[in-house]
Every structure is written in structure tokens, then in C-alpha cells.
Amino acid sequence: MTHFSFDIVGFDLDGTLLDTSGDLAAAVNHALASVDRPPLTVEQVKPMIGGGARHMLKQGLTATGGYDEAMLDTLHAELLAYYEANICVLTRPYPGVIDALDALAAKGVTLGIVTNKIERFARTVLGELGLTDRFACILGGDSMAESKPSPMPIHEMVRLCRKSGGGEGRAAFVGDSIFDIQAGKAAGLPTIACSFGFLMQPVGELGADAVIDGYEDLLPTLEGLAR
């Protein structure tokens, strides 16, 4: 095992490790169809992802005619039920993810996940893909009192990774949304943004310390941040 500059690397899930856009768009469209709204394309839904299912649905409803709170409550439940039953139909890891995770593990890096997805959904989709055991902790949007962009779950991820043997060295966080970068920076961690994720704005506007265009860039980018 060779020395690496970071002991812990945390990741967002949707739009960072996994392309979940097809299954999330299907869930949004299922909810919209129940109130006779037109469907949205996957590309329309992508920038709505990142703040949790309710946030995503709000934007979908706004884009197709608006909503009231009663409608939002009803359709949120519809969306979650549909998504839970169809959680891994189209979802796949991004190209190069498995190789990058293998390379980090080979260097003794402890890995964690902090997502705004409901924790049981995150665990289900990771289990379906056979990825759960790669991560020392998996924190969802409902795991703590606050979710990203709060730094609280990032701090907890670092704590749990260290508790599991992650060492006392540096930690970094990788994500694709403003929620991820703001949370990582507020927690005092170097941040890396994924240009291929579910961007709500141009990647250069996220304020990350570095940007990767693919997972082949991850390890050299981490090394560069440590200099």
C-alpha cells in the first residue's frame, strides 16, 4: 500500500457516483401523470435533482403548471412509492467509478457517502448494485437533523469514517451540486465537482476547489489538492 494524501474521501450519490436520472425522471413523471401533467424529459429533470425528492417534485410541478401544499404532499408520497418499487431499473455507476473506488481502497482510503436521498433508498440502490460494502458510512437526507448544504452530515461522515479506522488525516468531498460543494466547504474540506453530474448551474460557478470530467481524473486531482 502506497501513501496517499487523503485518509477519507466522501461522495454524493445521485449525479456523482450513480447516474440515477432515468429512474428519478420516471418517478417524477409518474407523479405528474396522476394529475394529468405533461411528462418531463430526463434532461429537464436532471437539474432538479440534488435537494431531495420533495425539492425535485416541487420543481417538476412548477415547470408544468404549479402546485399547492396539499397536492405536493399527495404527489410526494406517490413519487416515493413508485421510486422505491422501481429504484434500479436504469441506474448505473458512472464510467470509471468502480476502478476509482478500487484504486482508493488499495491506497487505504476510507470511503463514505453523504446524499440528500432518503437513507433507505440510498442503501437499497447501493445494495442492488453490489456497492454497499465499499463504504464505511452511508448518510441520507433524513439521517440527521440537517441535510446538505449544512456541514452537519459531512462532519458526521468524517467522524464515522475515522471511527471505522479511517485515520486522522485529511478528508475531501466529491459532489455535483451546489448543495454538495457548499456543505463540503462549510465543513472545511477540499471539494471536487463532477462536470458530468446533475448540474443546476455551470460547474465553474459551484466554487469547488477542483473539477473532474471523469473518474480517471479523480486520484490525480486529489493528489493535486494536497500539494
Side-chain angles (χ1 to χ4, degrees):
M1 186 186 303
T2 59
H3 174 72
F4 192 64
S5 301
F6 290 90
D7 285 345
I8 296 167
V9 177
F11 295 89
D12 173 54
L13 191 60
D14 300 65
T16 298
L17 289 174
L18 305 181
D19 184 354
T20 55
S21 57
D23 291 329
L24 288 171
V28 170
N29 285 330
H30 173 79
L32 294 176
S34 71
V35 288
D36 298 318
R37 298 289 179 88
L40 298 172
T41 66
V42 171
E43 291 306 311
Q44 286 176 301
V45 172
K46 278 184 179 180
M48 301 176 181
I49 302 167
R54 191 177 181 90
H55 174 83
M56 177 176 65
L57 179 59
K58 280 184 182 180
Q59 293 180 84
L61 288 168
T62 298
T64 57
Y67 66 92
D68 59 33
E69 288 301 316
M71 174 187 286
L72 180 63
D73 288 343
T74 299
L75 295 188
H76 184 223
E78 288 261 355
L79 183 154
L80 293 180
Y82 180 91
Y83 183 61
E84 188 165 22
N86 301 274
I87 200 167
C88 201
V89 177
L90 301 171
T91 292
R92 298 292 183 272
Y94 280 105
V97 163
I98 303 302
D99 288 344
L101 296 180
D102 284 344
L104 288 169
K107 292 180 179 295
V109 180
T110 301
L111 308 176
I113 287 176
V114 180
T115 174
N116 280 345
K117 196 184 209 71
I118 293 170
E119 182 179 326
R120 77 175 188 276
F121 290 178
R123 290 184 178 277
T124 297
V125 73
L126 288 164
E128 291 277 342
L129 295 170
L131 298 176
T132 306
D133 291 344
R134 292 175 176 269
F135 301 97
C137 73
I138 300 167
L139 297 174
D142 59 336
S143 300
M144 305 190 70
E146 297 178 15
S147 59
K148 298 176 297 184
S150 167
M152 180 186 291
I154 306 291
H155 286 308
E156 179 67 0
M157 181 270 295
V158 172
R159 187 188 73 80
L160 290 172
C161 284
R162 285 183 174 150
K163 185 178 179 180
S164 73
E168 296 298 320
R170 300 183 71 189
F173 194 71
V174 183
D176 69 303
S177 78
I178 191 66
F179 303 112
D180 301 321
I181 304 308
Q182 286 180 344
K185 291 177 83 69
L189 273 58
T191 57
I192 296 175
C194 302
S195 68
F196 48 84
F198 305 153
L199 299 173
M200 302 173 189
Q201 64 251 79
V203 70
E205 295 179 5
L206 295 179
D209 296 297
V211 175
I212 58 170
D213 298 321
Y215 271 90
E216 67 279 2
D217 300 332
L218 180 59
L219 269 73
T221 299
L222 285 165
E223 290 282 26
L225 286 177
R227 295 193 186 107

Short mmCIF file of all heavy atoms in Angstrom, two decimals, residues 40-79:
data_model
loop_
_atom_site.label_atom_id
_atom_site.label_comp_id
_atom_site.label_asym_id
_atom_site.label_seq_id
_atom_site.Cartn_x
_atom_site.Cartn_y
_atom_site.Cartn_z
N LEU A 40 -41.89 15.22 -18.29
CA LEU A 40 -40.64 15.94 -18.48
C LEU A 40 -39.59 14.99 -19.04
O LEU A 40 -39.61 13.79 -18.77
CB LEU A 40 -40.16 16.51 -17.15
CG LEU A 40 -41.09 17.52 -16.47
CD1 LEU A 40 -40.59 17.84 -15.07
CD2 LEU A 40 -41.21 18.79 -17.29
N THR A 41 -38.66 15.53 -19.80
CA THR A 41 -37.56 14.71 -20.29
C THR A 41 -36.53 14.49 -19.18
O THR A 41 -36.50 15.22 -18.19
CB THR A 41 -36.85 15.38 -21.48
OG1 THR A 41 -36.20 16.57 -21.01
CG2 THR A 41 -37.85 15.73 -22.59
N VAL A 42 -35.69 13.50 -19.36
CA VAL A 42 -34.62 13.25 -18.40
C VAL A 42 -33.74 14.49 -18.27
O VAL A 42 -33.34 14.86 -17.16
CB VAL A 42 -33.79 12.02 -18.81
CG1 VAL A 42 -32.55 11.88 -17.93
CG2 VAL A 42 -34.63 10.75 -18.73
N GLU A 43 -33.45 15.14 -19.38
CA GLU A 43 -32.60 16.33 -19.34
C GLU A 43 -33.25 17.48 -18.58
O GLU A 43 -32.57 18.27 -17.93
CB GLU A 43 -32.24 16.77 -20.76
CG GLU A 43 -31.31 15.80 -21.48
CD GLU A 43 -30.04 15.50 -20.71
OE1 GLU A 43 -29.39 16.46 -20.24
OE2 GLU A 43 -29.70 14.31 -20.56
N GLN A 44 -34.58 17.57 -18.64
CA GLN A 44 -35.28 18.59 -17.85
C GLN A 44 -35.22 18.28 -16.35
O GLN A 44 -35.14 19.18 -15.52
CB GLN A 44 -36.74 18.69 -18.29
CG GLN A 44 -36.96 19.39 -19.62
CD GLN A 44 -38.42 19.36 -20.04
OE1 GLN A 44 -39.01 18.28 -20.19
NE2 GLN A 44 -39.01 20.52 -20.22
N VAL A 45 -35.27 17.01 -16.01
CA VAL A 45 -35.30 16.60 -14.60
C VAL A 45 -33.91 16.70 -13.97
O VAL A 45 -33.79 17.02 -12.78
CB VAL A 45 -35.87 15.18 -14.45
CG1 VAL A 45 -35.73 14.66 -13.02
CG2 VAL A 45 -37.33 15.15 -14.88
N LYS A 46 -32.86 16.47 -14.72
CA LYS A 46 -31.50 16.42 -14.14
C LYS A 46 -31.17 17.60 -13.23
O LYS A 46 -30.70 17.41 -12.11
CB LYS A 46 -30.46 16.29 -15.25
CG LYS A 46 -30.27 14.87 -15.75
CD LYS A 46 -29.15 14.82 -16.79
CE LYS A 46 -28.92 13.40 -17.28
NZ LYS A 46 -27.83 13.35 -18.28
N PRO A 47 -31.39 18.85 -13.67
CA PRO A 47 -31.04 19.96 -12.78
C PRO A 47 -31.96 20.13 -11.58
O PRO A 47 -31.69 20.94 -10.70
CB PRO A 47 -31.10 21.20 -13.70
CG PRO A 47 -31.98 20.80 -14.82
CD PRO A 47 -31.79 19.32 -15.00
N MET A 48 -33.04 19.34 -11.54
CA MET A 48 -33.96 19.38 -10.39
C MET A 48 -33.50 18.45 -9.28
O MET A 48 -34.02 18.51 -8.15
CB MET A 48 -35.37 18.96 -10.84
CG MET A 48 -35.96 19.82 -11.92
SD MET A 48 -37.58 19.20 -12.48
CE MET A 48 -37.98 20.41 -13.75
N ILE A 49 -32.53 17.58 -9.56
CA ILE A 49 -32.06 16.56 -8.63
C ILE A 49 -30.97 17.14 -7.73
O ILE A 49 -30.18 17.96 -8.17
CB ILE A 49 -31.51 15.34 -9.39
CG1 ILE A 49 -32.59 14.74 -10.31
CG2 ILE A 49 -30.99 14.27 -8.44
CD1 ILE A 49 -32.06 13.74 -11.33
N GLY A 50 -30.93 16.72 -6.49
CA GLY A 50 -29.84 17.10 -5.62
C GLY A 50 -30.29 17.59 -4.26
O GLY A 50 -29.55 17.50 -3.28
N GLY A 51 -31.52 18.12 -4.19
CA GLY A 51 -32.02 18.64 -2.93
C GLY A 51 -33.01 17.73 -2.25
O GLY A 51 -33.69 18.15 -1.31
N GLY A 52 -33.12 16.49 -2.72
CA GLY A 52 -34.10 15.55 -2.17
C GLY A 52 -35.32 15.45 -3.05
O GLY A 52 -35.57 16.30 -3.93
N ALA A 53 -36.14 14.42 -2.82
CA ALA A 53 -37.27 14.13 -3.69
C ALA A 53 -38.34 15.23 -3.66
O ALA A 53 -38.91 15.57 -4.70
CB ALA A 53 -37.90 12.79 -3.29
N ARG A 54 -38.61 15.77 -2.50
CA ARG A 54 -39.63 16.82 -2.41
C ARG A 54 -39.22 18.07 -3.18
O ARG A 54 -40.03 18.66 -3.90
CB ARG A 54 -39.92 17.13 -0.94
CG ARG A 54 -41.15 18.00 -0.72
CD ARG A 54 -41.40 18.21 0.77
NE ARG A 54 -42.57 19.00 1.02
CZ ARG A 54 -43.81 18.52 1.17
NH1 ARG A 54 -43.99 17.20 1.12
NH2 ARG A 54 -44.84 19.32 1.39
N HIS A 55 -37.95 18.44 -3.05
CA HIS A 55 -37.42 19.58 -3.79
C HIS A 55 -37.53 19.33 -5.30
O HIS A 55 -37.93 20.22 -6.06
CB HIS A 55 -35.96 19.79 -3.38
CG HIS A 55 -35.24 20.84 -4.18
ND1 HIS A 55 -35.33 22.17 -3.89
CD2 HIS A 55 -34.42 20.73 -5.26
CE1 HIS A 55 -34.59 22.85 -4.75
NE2 HIS A 55 -34.02 22.00 -5.59
N MET A 56 -37.18 18.12 -5.74
CA MET A 56 -37.25 17.76 -7.15
C MET A 56 -38.69 17.84 -7.65
O MET A 56 -38.97 18.39 -8.73
CB MET A 56 -36.70 16.34 -7.33
CG MET A 56 -36.78 15.79 -8.73
SD MET A 56 -36.00 14.14 -8.85
CE MET A 56 -37.10 13.16 -7.79
N LEU A 57 -39.62 17.31 -6.88
CA LEU A 57 -41.02 17.33 -7.27
C LEU A 57 -41.57 18.75 -7.34
O LEU A 57 -42.33 19.08 -8.26
CB LEU A 57 -41.85 16.48 -6.30
CG LEU A 57 -43.35 16.41 -6.57
CD1 LEU A 57 -43.64 15.84 -7.96
CD2 LEU A 57 -44.05 15.59 -5.49
N LYS A 58 -41.21 19.59 -6.40
CA LYS A 58 -41.64 21.00 -6.44
C LYS A 58 -41.27 21.64 -7.77
O LYS A 58 -42.08 22.34 -8.38
CB LYS A 58 -40.97 21.79 -5.31
CG LYS A 58 -41.59 21.66 -3.94
CD LYS A 58 -40.85 22.58 -2.97
CE LYS A 58 -41.38 22.48 -1.56
NZ LYS A 58 -40.65 23.39 -0.64
N GLN A 59 -40.05 21.39 -8.20
CA GLN A 59 -39.60 21.99 -9.45
C GLN A 59 -40.33 21.40 -10.66
O GLN A 59 -40.66 22.11 -11.61
CB GLN A 59 -38.10 21.83 -9.59
CG GLN A 59 -37.33 22.63 -8.56
CD GLN A 59 -35.85 22.45 -8.71
OE1 GLN A 59 -35.20 23.12 -9.52
NE2 GLN A 59 -35.29 21.52 -7.97
N GLY A 60 -40.59 20.09 -10.59
CA GLY A 60 -41.34 19.46 -11.66
C GLY A 60 -42.75 19.99 -11.77
O GLY A 60 -43.27 20.24 -12.87
N LEU A 61 -43.39 20.21 -10.63
CA LEU A 61 -44.74 20.76 -10.62
C LEU A 61 -44.75 22.22 -11.06
O LEU A 61 -45.64 22.66 -11.80
CB LEU A 61 -45.35 20.63 -9.22
CG LEU A 61 -45.73 19.21 -8.81
CD1 LEU A 61 -46.04 19.15 -7.31
CD2 LEU A 61 -46.93 18.72 -9.62
N THR A 62 -43.76 22.97 -10.64
CA THR A 62 -43.67 24.38 -11.05
C THR A 62 -43.51 24.47 -12.57
O THR A 62 -44.12 25.33 -13.22
CB THR A 62 -42.47 25.05 -10.35
OG1 THR A 62 -42.69 25.03 -8.94
CG2 THR A 62 -42.31 26.49 -10.81
N ALA A 63 -42.72 23.57 -13.14
CA ALA A 63 -42.46 23.58 -14.58
C ALA A 63 -43.68 23.18 -15.41
O ALA A 63 -43.74 23.48 -16.61
CB ALA A 63 -41.29 22.66 -14.91
N THR A 64 -44.64 22.53 -14.78
CA THR A 64 -45.80 22.02 -15.52
C THR A 64 -47.12 22.63 -15.09
O THR A 64 -48.18 22.10 -15.43
CB THR A 64 -45.88 20.48 -15.40
OG1 THR A 64 -45.96 20.13 -14.00
CG2 THR A 64 -44.67 19.81 -16.04
N GLY A 65 -47.07 23.72 -14.33
CA GLY A 65 -48.34 24.39 -14.01
C GLY A 65 -48.54 24.80 -12.57
O GLY A 65 -49.58 25.38 -12.24
N GLY A 66 -47.59 24.51 -11.68
CA GLY A 66 -47.71 24.95 -10.29
C GLY A 66 -48.32 23.90 -9.38
O GLY A 66 -48.67 22.79 -9.81
N TYR A 67 -48.46 24.26 -8.10
CA TYR A 67 -48.96 23.30 -7.11
C TYR A 67 -49.40 24.05 -5.87
O TYR A 67 -49.06 25.22 -5.66
CB TYR A 67 -47.86 22.31 -6.74
CG TYR A 67 -46.67 22.95 -6.03
CD1 TYR A 67 -46.61 23.02 -4.65
CD2 TYR A 67 -45.62 23.50 -6.76
CE1 TYR A 67 -45.54 23.62 -4.00
CE2 TYR A 67 -44.55 24.11 -6.12
CZ TYR A 67 -44.51 24.16 -4.74
OH TYR A 67 -43.47 24.77 -4.10
N ASP A 68 -50.17 23.35 -5.02
CA ASP A 68 -50.39 23.81 -3.65
C ASP A 68 -49.81 22.76 -2.71
O ASP A 68 -49.41 21.68 -3.14
CB ASP A 68 -51.86 24.12 -3.37
CG ASP A 68 -52.77 22.91 -3.59
OD1 ASP A 68 -52.32 21.76 -3.35
OD2 ASP A 68 -53.94 23.09 -3.98
N GLU A 69 -49.76 23.07 -1.42
CA GLU A 69 -49.10 22.16 -0.48
C GLU A 69 -49.81 20.82 -0.37
O GLU A 69 -49.17 19.79 -0.19
CB GLU A 69 -48.97 22.83 0.89
CG GLU A 69 -47.94 23.94 0.94
CD GLU A 69 -46.54 23.49 0.59
OE1 GLU A 69 -46.11 22.42 1.08
OE2 GLU A 69 -45.87 24.19 -0.19
N ALA A 70 -51.13 20.82 -0.46
CA ALA A 70 -51.88 19.56 -0.38
C ALA A 70 -51.52 18.65 -1.55
O ALA A 70 -51.30 17.44 -1.39
CB ALA A 70 -53.38 19.82 -0.34
N MET A 71 -51.45 19.25 -2.75
CA MET A 71 -51.06 18.47 -3.93
C MET A 71 -49.63 17.95 -3.78
O MET A 71 -49.35 16.78 -4.07
CB MET A 71 -51.15 19.33 -5.20
CG MET A 71 -50.62 18.64 -6.45
SD MET A 71 -50.56 19.73 -7.89
CE MET A 71 -52.30 19.83 -8.29
N LEU A 72 -48.74 18.81 -3.29
CA LEU A 72 -47.35 18.41 -3.11
C LEU A 72 -47.23 17.24 -2.15
O LEU A 72 -46.51 16.27 -2.41
CB LEU A 72 -46.53 19.60 -2.61
CG LEU A 72 -45.04 19.34 -2.39
CD1 LEU A 72 -44.33 18.96 -3.68
CD2 LEU A 72 -44.39 20.58 -1.78
N ASP A 73 -47.95 17.28 -1.04
CA ASP A 73 -47.90 16.20 -0.06
C ASP A 73 -48.36 14.88 -0.68
O ASP A 73 -47.72 13.84 -0.51
CB ASP A 73 -48.78 16.54 1.14
CG ASP A 73 -48.19 17.64 2.02
OD1 ASP A 73 -46.99 17.91 1.90
OD2 ASP A 73 -48.96 18.21 2.81
N THR A 74 -49.48 14.93 -1.41
CA THR A 74 -50.04 13.72 -2.02
C THR A 74 -49.10 13.15 -3.07
O THR A 74 -48.81 11.94 -3.09
CB THR A 74 -51.40 14.02 -2.66
OG1 THR A 74 -52.30 14.47 -1.65
CG2 THR A 74 -51.98 12.79 -3.34
N LEU A 75 -48.58 14.02 -3.94
CA LEU A 75 -47.74 13.55 -5.03
C LEU A 75 -46.35 13.13 -4.55
O LEU A 75 -45.73 12.25 -5.15
CB LEU A 75 -47.63 14.62 -6.11
CG LEU A 75 -48.93 14.96 -6.84
CD1 LEU A 75 -48.67 15.90 -8.00
CD2 LEU A 75 -49.65 13.71 -7.33
N HIS A 76 -45.89 13.75 -3.46
CA HIS A 76 -44.61 13.32 -2.89
C HIS A 76 -44.70 11.86 -2.45
O HIS A 76 -43.79 11.05 -2.71
CB HIS A 76 -44.26 14.23 -1.71
CG HIS A 76 -42.93 13.95 -1.11
ND1 HIS A 76 -42.70 13.92 0.24
CD2 HIS A 76 -41.71 13.67 -1.68
CE1 HIS A 76 -41.45 13.64 0.48
NE2 HIS A 76 -40.82 13.50 -0.65
N ALA A 77 -45.80 11.51 -1.80
CA ALA A 77 -45.99 10.11 -1.38
C ALA A 77 -46.08 9.19 -2.59
O ALA A 77 -45.52 8.08 -2.59
CB ALA A 77 -47.25 10.00 -0.51
N GLU A 78 -46.77 9.64 -3.64
CA GLU A 78 -46.89 8.85 -4.88
C GLU A 78 -45.51 8.62 -5.50
O GLU A 78 -45.16 7.52 -5.91
CB GLU A 78 -47.77 9.59 -5.88
CG GLU A 78 -49.24 9.62 -5.54
CD GLU A 78 -50.01 8.56 -6.31
OE1 GLU A 78 -49.42 7.88 -7.16
OE2 GLU A 78 -51.22 8.43 -6.03
N LEU A 79 -44.74 9.70 -5.56
CA LEU A 79 -43.41 9.62 -6.16
C LEU A 79 -42.51 8.64 -5.40
O LEU A 79 -41.85 7.79 -6.00
CB LEU A 79 -42.79 11.01 -6.20
CG LEU A 79 -41.42 11.18 -6.87
CD1 LEU A 79 -41.25 12.61 -7.38
CD2 LEU A 79 -40.26 10.85 -5.93
#
